[in-house]
């Protein structure tokens, strides 16, 4: 669930669709996959670029809060697992930028938009990781929420995105397990470790619920995205599913979800729960979260500091090509 | 617990194994500091991968060191509960990351030594060491291939990349020589057929490095001065900070399991 508030194009009624648009919608309705070279409405292409791009950016910014604890991981095994996980995330970023490239936008173009603030990444990565249990909570809750969304997106209508999701989901479920495993150790550990685990849950619970985005029952954007099968479930459906899955896991850990209104509702066969503070969500999206400046600043600095490196590789490639060409001429 | 059939001083063997394991631990730590900050996404992935290999090798070397010592310390106890003076890594690996050119140059000079050393250790008279080396040498071969390739491309890239790579080489060069100086521990290893004489690795290292530098249009510094001390526990100021970071949780919450 690394794409929030993705703007879609306005929904057209069936009567307003051109014959070409009608045929496209029919293909989607039949469950066919759309492939890169095929015709697609401009709105479909643009919405996908926004959604896949935001998802890719989330993967690479997402390296930072976890990377924050790699050098302080408490055992060699935990360090190795965390390194492997963060490496996977960079890899997910790579597949997703490749999927976006099939829609005619380069990775550099998308990064330029991330760096100038015109494209976003998931709000969750603007929260700090303050103790070791946060690394557990990120795996358990953040990756758990991400999986909720990504499992559905395996069925998304755009072929390259769907295939990227299938690969990513396999790795994400390992991530979630390792996060829960850290939480188990902490929750069953010393009083201090248990306190860290509870503190992590207290701080990450509502930001995790926010990952699904505000209620979209009235959103025109969501309706169009769902018609195009770029989005499969509503934000509220996914949030409910996440809460229902997570509450028993917290109980098993002996941790308390920080919501006095949390209660099983027999009628709907799900939990009733408090909404997160949406004003906080919009502040974070607007750049006022606890870590927005550090996160984006770190990415911009990495990009700017790395310019000489990228230029150097490019210059070498050009020289090597010129040398090969000269050798060919000399041989002829 | 000396290994079967090999007469070797246990303390010397422990010393040798911590040198191998501390090199990979401290370099792995340094490389992992790049996580999320690399100049391109492919480098984020490659650096995390390198760090992961090095931490994996650390688990093997320090695990064996703990067994050999026979005092009930495992790899984690050795990594997280020794102070700086007990660390046996060379000074090279604790050098700060600097810019990407400094990190890459440190990696390349280390990889060239590491690959030659591990290749020799695959023939160790101690089968446990030969086994670890056989696994690690495959990873080191890949690290060397990657770092050599990048040194060549950046050395022979733009004026700016060339200048940065030459400066990195000039800064780091004097920290390499330590790897080739033998002491009593090394002599005991040579005598037992466990490890090669460090000085014997120099020729091959020189050949690898000079070929790459030639292609990279970089010049090996002529200064023969060698900074040393790491392999006997006398480190630079940097190691204390690395350990303060790395050991924080184990030190702050003694006895907890993670």
């Amino acid at each position: 669930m690394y794409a929030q508030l993705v703007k879609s194009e306005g929904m057209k009624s069936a009567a307003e669709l051109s014959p070409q648009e009608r045929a496209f919608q029919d293909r989607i309705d039949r469950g066919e996959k759309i492939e890169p070279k095929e015709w697609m409405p401009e709105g479909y292409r643009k919405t996908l670029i926004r959604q896949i791009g935001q998802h890719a950016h989330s993967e690479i910014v997402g390296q930072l809060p976890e990377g924050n604890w790699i050098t302080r991981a408490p055992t060699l095994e935990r360090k190795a697992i965390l390194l492997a996980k963060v490496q996977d995330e960079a890899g997910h970023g790579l597949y997703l930028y490749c999927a976006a490239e099939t829609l005619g936008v380069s990775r550099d173009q998308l990064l330029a938009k991330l760096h100038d603030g015109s494209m976003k990444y998931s709000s969750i990565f603007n929260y700090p990781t303050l103790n070791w249990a946060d690394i557990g909570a990120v795996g358990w809750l953040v990756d758990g929420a991400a999986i909720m969304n990504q499992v559905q997106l395996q069925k998304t209508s755009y072929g390259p995105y769907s295939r990227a999701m299938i690969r990513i989901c396999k790795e994400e479920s390992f991530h979630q397990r390792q996060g829960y495993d850290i939480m188990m150790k902490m929750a069953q550990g010393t009083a201090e470790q248990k306190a860290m685990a509870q503190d992590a849950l207290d701080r990450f619970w509502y930001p995790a619920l926010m990952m699904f985005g505000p209620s979209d029952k009235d959103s025109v954007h969501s309706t169009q995205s769902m018609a195009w099968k770029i989005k499969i479930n509503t934000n509220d459906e996914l949030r409910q599913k996440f809460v229902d899955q997570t509450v028993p896991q917290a109980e098993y850990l002996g941790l308390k979800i920080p919501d006095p209104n949390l209660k099983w509702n027999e009628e709907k066969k799900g939990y009733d729960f408090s909404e997160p503070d949406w004003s906080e969500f919009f502040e974070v999206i607007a750049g006022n979260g606890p870590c927005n400046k550090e996160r984006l600043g770190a990415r911009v600095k990495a990009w700017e500091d790395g310019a000489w490196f990228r230029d150097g590789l490019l210059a070498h490639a050009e020289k090597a090509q010129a040398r090969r060409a000269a050798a060919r001429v000399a041989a002829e | 617990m000396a290994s079967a059939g090999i007469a070797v001083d246990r303390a010397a063997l422990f010393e040798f194994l911590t040198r191998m394991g501390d090199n990979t631990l401290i370099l792995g730590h340094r490389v992992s500091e790049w996580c999320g900050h690399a100049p391109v996404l492919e480098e984020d992935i490659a650096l995390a991968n390198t760090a992961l290999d090095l931490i994996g090798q650390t688990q093997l070397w320090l695990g064996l060191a703990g067994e050999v010592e026979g005092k009930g310390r495992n790899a984690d106890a050795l990594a997280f509960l020794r102070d700086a003076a007990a660390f046996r890594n060379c000074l090279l690996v604790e050098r700060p990351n600097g810019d990407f050119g400094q990190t890459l140059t440190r990696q390349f000079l280390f990889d060239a030594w590491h690959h030659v050393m591990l290749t020799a250790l695959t023939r160790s008279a101690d089968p446990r060491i030969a086994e670890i080396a056989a696994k690690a040498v495959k990873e080191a071969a890949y690290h060397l291939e990657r770092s050599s390739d990048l040194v060549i491309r950046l050395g022979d890239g733009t004026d700016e990349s060339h200048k940065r790579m030459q400066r990195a080489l000039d800064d780091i060069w004097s920290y390499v020589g330590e790897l080739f100086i033998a002491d009593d521990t090394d002599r005991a290893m040579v005598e037992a057929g466990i490890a090669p004489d460090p000085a014997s690795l120099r020729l091959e290292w020189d050949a690898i490095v000079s070929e790459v530098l030639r292609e990279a249009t970089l010049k090996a510094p002529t200064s023969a001065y060698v900074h040393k001390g790491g392999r006997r526990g006398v480190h630079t100021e940097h190691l204390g900070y690395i350990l303060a970071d790395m050991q924080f949780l184990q030190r702050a919450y003694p006895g907890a399991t993670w």
Side-chain angles (χ1 to χ4, degrees):
Chain A
M1 171 56 63
Y2 291 146
Q4 298 158 318
L5 299 179
V6 173
K7 256 178 66 188
S8 177
E9 304 300 307
M11 181 79 182
K12 288 184 184 174
S13 69
E16 291 171 305
L17 294 178
S18 70
Q20 202 172 24
E21 288 169 336
R22 184 67 255 162
F24 178 82
Q25 188 62 50
D26 287 345
R27 289 188 60 198
I28 289 187
D29 294 344
R30 284 195 300 270
E32 288 178 27
K33 292 277 181 258
I34 308 302
E35 295 300 335
K37 294 273 155 56
E38 296 169 348
W39 184 86
M40 60 186 79
E42 196 51 20
Y44 176 85
R45 196 181 70 83
K46 281 187 179 157
T47 308
L48 268 174
I49 288 174
R50 285 189 208 116
Q51 182 168 330
I52 299 174
Q54 193 184 112
H55 192 160
H57 296 333
S58 299
E59 297 283 358
I60 60 164
V61 177
Q63 294 179 95
L64 298 170
E66 293 184 297
N68 183 39
W69 278 90
I70 287 178
T71 59
R72 290 177 292 169
T75 67
L76 294 171
E77 194 187 358
R78 290 288 179 208
K79 193 186 290 283
I81 292 170
L82 188 54
L83 270 166
K85 176 178 191 293
V86 177
Q87 186 191 11
D88 282 350
E89 275 149 17
H92 297 171
L94 202 54
Y95 309 151
L96 288 162
Y97 286 121
C98 291
E101 276 175 357
T102 65
L103 294 159
V105 60
S106 72
R107 196 202 310 178
D108 285 3
Q109 286 171 315
L110 289 173
L111 287 174
K113 289 186 169 185
L114 170 68
H115 297 157
D116 72 16
S118 58
M119 277 184 90
K120 303 288 184 201
Y121 53 88
S122 176
S123 58
I124 192 74
F125 301 119
N126 291 314
Y127 289 87
T129 52
L130 300 178
N131 77 51
W132 172 250
D134 286 14
I135 298 306
V138 167
W140 173 36
L141 301 175
V142 175
D143 292 319
I147 292 169
M148 269 307 147
N149 188 49
Q150 291 169 358
V151 163
Q152 302 303 304
L153 284 176
Q154 294 179 87
K155 292 181 284 191
T156 192
S157 61
Y158 188 56
Y161 193 26
S162 160
R163 290 188 287 275
M165 282 301 135
I166 290 167
R167 289 186 68 173
I168 288 173
C169 278
K170 286 185 190 147
E171 293 177 344
E172 290 289 0
S173 57
F174 148 72
H175 296 173
Q176 196 196 12
R177 277 202 304 279
Q178 71 84 33
Y180 195 70
D181 187 58
I182 290 175
M183 292 308 278
M184 292 255 277
K185 272 279 191 306
M186 299 295 281
Q188 295 165 359
T190 64
E192 286 158 318
Q193 285 176 302
K194 188 160 184 181
M196 285 186 228
Q198 184 62 55
D199 176 45
L201 175 56
D202 289 348
R203 281 180 290 105
F204 274 96
W205 175 252
Y206 287 107
L209 295 188
M210 291 176 201
M211 287 176 69
F212 299 95
S215 179
D216 51 5
K217 53 184 180 289
D218 309 318
S219 162
V220 185
H221 299 316
S222 286
T223 314
Q224 176 62 80
S225 283
M226 291 178 81
W228 277 333
K229 294 189 187 165
I230 290 173
K231 184 171 176 156
I232 312 285
N233 291 88
T234 69
N235 295 349
D236 292 326
E237 284 167 354
L238 291 169
R239 187 166 20 247
Q240 181 70 51
K241 223 171 146 187
F242 174 74
V243 171
D244 292 344
Q245 173 187 288
T246 308
V247 171
Q249 293 171 346
E251 281 168 1
Y252 185 77
L253 292 171
L255 299 177
K256 192 170 166 9
I257 301 233
D259 180 358
N261 301 318
L262 186 80
K263 201 172 74 223
W264 178 255
N265 180 333
E266 184 55 34
E267 204 176 316
K268 74 171 184 188
K269 300 278 179 217
Y271 287 90
D272 291 332
F273 56 93
S274 303
E275 287 280 307
D277 176 358
W278 290 112
S279 65
E280 176 181 317
F281 172 77
F282 286 109
E283 284 295 345
V284 173
I285 295 285
N288 297 321
C291 297
N292 292 58
K293 288 199 169 57
E294 284 93 331
R295 300 291 188 244
L296 190 56
R299 291 307 309 173
V300 170
K301 183 175 189 307
W303 185 253
E304 287 174 354
D305 288 354
W308 72 269
F309 169 88
R310 297 187 301 275
D311 292 346
L313 294 193
L314 205 62
H316 181 81
E318 282 162 7
K319 282 184 194 176
Q321 195 178 18
R323 280 196 286 262
R324 277 195 300 275
R328 256 199 316 276
V329 171
E332 276 162 14
Chain B
M1 188 185 75
S3 75
I6 302 164
V8 62
D9 179 57
R10 185 190 293 195
L13 184 55
F14 174 77
E15 182 83 4
F16 170 75
L17 291 167
T18 54
R19 287 175 180 182
M20 293 303 293
D22 290 345
N23 277 340
T24 52
L25 175 60
I26 301 303
L27 186 59
H29 180 100
R30 278 295 192 218
V31 175
S32 78
E33 291 173 350
W34 274 97
C35 187
H37 304 277
V40 286
L41 191 47
E42 284 80 354
E43 284 306 311
D44 269 322
I45 295 172
L47 289 165
N49 193 55
T50 303
L52 187 55
D53 287 345
L54 292 170
I55 298 303
Q57 293 171 20
T58 304
Q59 289 174 290
L60 299 174
W61 290 124
L62 294 186
L64 182 54
E67 266 179 51
V68 165
E69 187 191 38
K71 292 183 183 166
R73 293 201 284 183
N74 61 15
D76 281 339
L78 290 171
F80 294 97
L81 299 174
R82 281 177 302 157
D83 204 348
F87 271 74
R88 293 292 181 264
N89 58 280
C90 61
L91 300 179
L92 174 69
V93 295
E94 64 197 51
R95 299 294 306 154
N97 284 343
D99 70 3
F100 191 87
Q102 301 264 344
T103 291
L104 174 63
T105 302
R106 181 187 65 199
Q107 189 71 39
F108 166 63
L109 298 176
F110 179 81
D111 289 344
W113 171 81
H114 204 204
H115 187 253
V116 175
M117 178 66 165
L118 289 171
T119 303
L121 289 179
T122 60
R123 300 185 291 268
S124 174
D126 186 324
R128 297 168 303 178
I129 290 176
E131 199 182 318
I132 295 173
K135 179 182 183 295
V137 75
K138 292 181 199 137
E139 293 167 348
Y142 173 70
H143 297 169
L144 178 60
E145 188 185 316
R146 202 184 84 78
S147 59
S148 301
D149 177 59
L150 281 177
V151 167
I152 291 168
R153 293 203 273 158
L154 292 171
D156 184 25
T158 58
D159 289 347
E160 168 80 1
S161 70
H162 177 86
K163 203 169 71 195
R164 283 177 184 259
M165 292 305 290
Q166 186 63 54
R167 193 163 61 211
L169 200 57
D170 294 343
D171 285 352
I172 296 172
W173 192 256
S174 58
Y175 291 93
V176 175
E178 182 180 23
L179 288 164
F180 301 106
I181 299 171
D183 63 8
D184 288 346
T185 298
D186 297 307
R187 284 185 278 275
M189 293 305 110
V190 172
E191 208 171 302
I194 288 176
D197 178 353
S200 72
L201 307 175
R202 182 87 205 206
L203 212 60
E204 204 179 329
W205 184 89
D206 275 337
I208 295 169
V209 170
S210 60
E211 175 54 25
V212 169
L213 295 187
R214 189 193 57 75
E215 250 194 276
T217 71
L218 296 169
K219 284 194 183 60
T222 48
S223 159
Y225 186 76
V226 174
H227 287 287
K228 48 187 177 289
R231 298 174 82 236
R232 56 189 165 83
V234 182
H235 292 275
T236 63
E237 289 177 347
H238 304 293
L239 185 65
Y241 291 95
I242 292 175
L243 298 184
D245 214 10
M246 184 168 83
Q247 298 180 340
F248 156 65
L249 283 170
Q250 291 277 358
R251 299 290 192 182
Y253 303 97
T257 51
W258 302 93

